[in-house]
Amino acid sequence: MKVVMIHTSPVSLNELKALCAEIIPDVELVNIIDDSLLDEVKKNGGLTPAIISRMCQYVQIADKLAPDLIFNQCSSVGEAFDLAKRCTSRMTLKIDEAMAEKAVSLGMRIGVIATVASTMLPSCNLVKTKAETAGKNVEVREYLVDGALDILMKEKNVEKHNQLVLAQIQKAAEENDVVVLAQGSMTSLLPYLDGIAKPVLTSPRLAIERIKQMLEGEIK
């Protein structure tokens, strides 16, 4: 079997590769990376026609590779992927879908933490959509740690990034039933979460576990 992943940065690449090697070791993995997409989203405060166009092209390229599933790695372009996936009949998955569904199952008050402003709206919208599908009323609260992703990617300062985000996780945990970390890059905080009383969800492992279920026919 084959999975094609579309990325907007290499920040989660190695972690996703490692999770695939652990959870779906026999699946061939192909990666498409366009690190200009995230910068364009950030500069424009959201999606542009050009971003949507390129995502459609990447899905079409992925489709030509004859994969069993096409995967979108970036929450910021998730809504562009929703449009682009109409270009294929293959199975598709966004990195944060399984996480959003689990968050809805765990509580009524859901805190969403993002380190890029452009990620917040699509991430909150996804949680609300999953809640609507589940027939559940939820309250979604936003916690933006603006600039933290640049500290991680450009300054390469993992510790500073973690301290900033952890402060918001602790605040969100006090005010909500469950906390969602909107970006896969925030998994660097996992070792620091043992003392948090509320569930704190990250997307990469849940996503790869969902891919396994989809490839095995358990979920469509």
Side-chain angles (χ1 to χ4, degrees), residues 64-114:
K64 290 177 182 178
L65 294 169
D68 297 278
L69 184 144
I70 301 172
F71 180 82
N72 174 56
Q73 167 268 342
C74 182
S75 302
S76 290
V77 297
E79 293 178 344
F81 185 73
D82 286 335
L83 298 172
K85 68 185 184 183
R86 299 177 187 176
C87 299
T88 183
S89 59
R90 318 269 180 195
M91 290 191 295
T92 60
L93 182 68
K94 296 188 292 187
I95 189 169
D96 46 3
E97 284 189 76
M99 177 177 66
E101 289 175 12
K102 185 169 183 178
V104 168
S105 74
L106 290 175
M108 306 292 287
R109 295 174 301 168
I110 301 171
V112 176
I113 298 180

Side-chain angles (χ1 to χ4, degrees), residues 28-69:
E28 179 185 356
L29 184 62
V30 179
N31 295 286
I32 299 171
I33 303 175
D34 179 351
D35 59 6
S36 72
L37 281 169
L38 187 55
D39 283 340
E40 189 169 338
V41 173
K42 289 161 65 178
K43 286 175 184 175
N44 290 278
L47 300 178
T48 65
I51 291 169
I52 295 169
S53 176
R54 294 215 299 286
M55 287 298 291
C56 288
Q57 292 177 60
Y58 294 138
V59 168
Q60 290 173 322
I61 291 168
D63 182 83
K64 290 177 182 178
L65 294 169
D68 297 278
L69 184 144

Side-chain angles (χ1 to χ4, degrees), residues 112-160:
V112 176
I113 298 180
T115 56
V116 177
S118 59
T119 303
M120 186 63 79
L121 181 60
S123 296
C124 291
N125 285 345
L126 179 61
V127 172
K128 292 173 184 177
T129 298
K130 296 298 184 183
E132 185 177 340
T133 300
K136 189 172 181 180
N137 291 321
V138 299
E139 179 183 358
V140 180
R141 298 176 179 177
E142 301 180 5
Y143 299 81
L144 177 63
V145 195
D146 203 12
L149 186 62
D150 284 339
I151 291 170
L152 180 66
M153 295 181 62
K154 296 178 180 179
E155 298 181 21
K156 309 296 183 185
N157 192 332
V158 178
E159 185 59 32
K160 183 178 179 182

Side-chain angles (χ1 to χ4, degrees), residues 113 141-143 165-176 179 196:
I113 298 180
R141 298 176 179 177
E142 301 180 5
Y143 299 81
V165 179
L166 187 59
Q168 286 300 303
I169 292 174
Q170 291 168 334
K171 182 175 188 292
E174 293 172 359
E175 299 172 351
N176 299 277
V179 179
I196 306 295

